[in-house]
Amino acid sequence: MADKKKNKSGLMLACWFLLGIILLIVFLVNKNTIIQNLKDARFFERVTGKTPQFIENFEAPPKKTESNGKVELQIEPGEAETSPSRENDLSLTSNSVELQIKKKEEPETKPEEKTETVVKPESPKETEKKETVTKTEETKTPEKKEPAVPMTSVKLYFVVVESNGSVTRKQVIREIPKSDSPLTNTIRALLAGTSSAEKNCRTLIPAGTRLLGASVKNGIATLNLSEEFEYNQYGADGYRAQLMQLVYTATEFSTVDSVQFLVEGQRKNYIGSGEDVWMWIGSPYSRSSF
């Protein structure tokens, strides 16, 4: 008898355990529905007077519905009957919604619009305006100024011919570009003749005379002149004046004491136009030579 009671109690315990497992599985599967029903029925509020916090804050997750591309219309429960006219309205609405969805799915293709660019010929007034604007812009463009060339003052010697025919020496000061060859530039400025600002002055150096080279050594400046230097149309006074102009101009430099003349690179003893008209140039000339 004791063994039978033990078997009965074990069987009952197993049944209750199996029943508890089944209830747990059912609860887990339908947990959301059960909690929602307890919340809607206010079960705990009626039994214990207070609804647990997790049930009060519970919100059922949205139902997942599979769609085949058509709009499904759900009718709320509680409406027992639906009139035929309402069914027709619903079917029409469903069809129109399906058409709208299909239209959205199909990309709209608009016909290509052709645009033509029409170039209008410019009127003469517009052309004149453009030319005027262009000219104004050109005039407004600032001109690039060339950098100023440094200048230096030099002393040149010319002559003044008096009314009685006598020839006197005349010193003038002129501005010439500064360079690394001041003696060469100064002699070439002298050979170029007088300027308009140097009134009552003239040169008796033969026209066309060119400086071929210049050098200074031991206080002697050697000036190599072209063949025009040999002949002076003013005679002896002209020869003497041309030598004096060159010697005084060259000896303005502190490194020059006297001048040796060459003609076309050759050292000559005389220059002149005949037996009676000649001038010695075989040795250097200084200011004391005049």
Side-chain angles (χ1 to χ4, degrees):
M1 291 294 290
D3 292 335
K4 286 182 179 180
K5 286 182 179 180
K6 286 181 180 179
N7 291 333
K8 263 186 186 182
S9 61
L11 182 61
M12 288 294 289
L13 183 63
C15 290
W16 280 109
F17 181 77
L18 181 62
L19 180 61
I21 290 173
I22 292 170
L23 291 173
L24 178 63
I25 292 170
V26 172
F27 176 79
L28 291 175
V29 171
N30 298 313
K31 179 181 67 172
N32 294 334
T33 304
I34 293 170
I35 294 174
Q36 185 64 41
N37 290 334
L38 290 173
K39 181 180 179 181
D40 294 338
R42 297 182 180 179
F43 174 80
F44 288 99
E45 185 178 354
R46 291 175 180 176
V47 175
T48 63
K50 185 179 180 182
T51 303
Q53 191 67 28
F54 76 95
I55 292 177
E56 187 70 27
N57 297 333
F58 175 80
E59 290 182 5
K63 293 182 180 180
K64 295 182 180 179
T65 57
E66 295 182 357
S67 175
N68 57 0
K70 296 182 180 180
V71 176
E72 297 179 359
L73 298 176
Q74 295 181 357
I75 301 173
E76 295 180 359
E79 294 184 1
E81 296 180 356
T82 306
S83 62
S85 60
R86 183 171 177 77
E87 290 179 357
N88 293 335
D89 292 341
L90 290 174
S91 62
L92 289 173
T93 306
S94 176
N95 291 333
S96 63
V97 172
E98 287 179 6
L99 289 174
Q100 289 179 2
I101 291 173
K102 287 182 180 179
K103 284 183 179 180
K104 288 183 179 180
E105 290 177 353
E106 295 177 359
E108 295 182 0
T109 55
K110 293 183 180 180
E112 294 182 357
E113 296 180 356
K114 294 183 179 180
T115 57
E116 296 182 358
T117 304
V118 179
V119 180
K120 294 183 180 180
E122 294 182 353
S123 62
K125 289 184 178 180
E126 291 178 352
T127 307
E128 289 178 2
K129 286 181 180 179
K130 285 186 177 180
E131 289 179 356
T132 307
V133 171
T134 306
K135 288 180 180 179
T136 307
E137 289 177 355
E138 289 178 358
T139 54
K140 287 182 179 180
T141 304
E143 296 180 358
K144 293 183 179 179
K145 294 182 179 180
E146 296 182 358
V149 178
M151 305 294 284
T152 184
S153 299
V154 295
K155 293 179 180 178
L156 306 179
Y157 285 85
F158 295 102
V159 297
V160 176
V161 179
E162 304 293 344
S163 58
N164 58 2
S166 60
V167 178
T168 58
R169 185 174 58 251
K170 178 70 174 180
Q171 181 198 85
V172 298
I173 298 175
R174 187 184 295 179
E175 296 287 328
I176 64 171
K178 202 172 185 178
S179 71
D180 296 332
S181 303
L183 177 61
T184 300
N185 286 354
T186 302
I187 297 301
R188 283 176 177 167
L190 177 68
L191 296 178
T194 59
S195 66
S196 58
E198 296 157 355
K199 297 179 180 180
N200 301 325
C201 294
R202 58 182 300 182
T203 180
L204 294 182
I205 300 173
T209 301
R210 293 173 292 111
L211 180 66
L212 304 179
S215 61
V216 179
K217 186 177 180 181
N218 298 327
I220 300 174
T222 301
L223 302 181
N224 182 19
L225 302 164
S226 62
E227 60 184 357
E228 288 84 359
F229 184 69
E230 285 191 79
Y231 306 102
N232 195 303
Q233 63 179 337
Y234 298 107
D237 290 337
Y239 284 109
R240 183 178 177 83
Q242 74 182 58
L243 295 178
M244 180 269 300
Q245 285 182 245
L246 287 165
V247 170
Y248 268 79
T249 300
T251 53
E252 281 292 337
F253 292 90
S254 59
T255 56
V256 178
D257 297 324
S258 60
V259 179
Q260 175 64 60
F261 296 101
L262 301 180
V263 178
E264 297 291 338
Q266 301 294 323
R267 186 166 182 172
K268 294 187 176 184
N269 291 330
Y270 298 95
I271 56 173
S273 58
E275 293 180 359
D276 296 332
V277 181
W278 52 267
M279 183 66 65
W280 169 264
I281 61 169
S283 58
Y285 273 81
S286 64
R287 290 193 175 189
S288 60
S289 303
F290 301 96

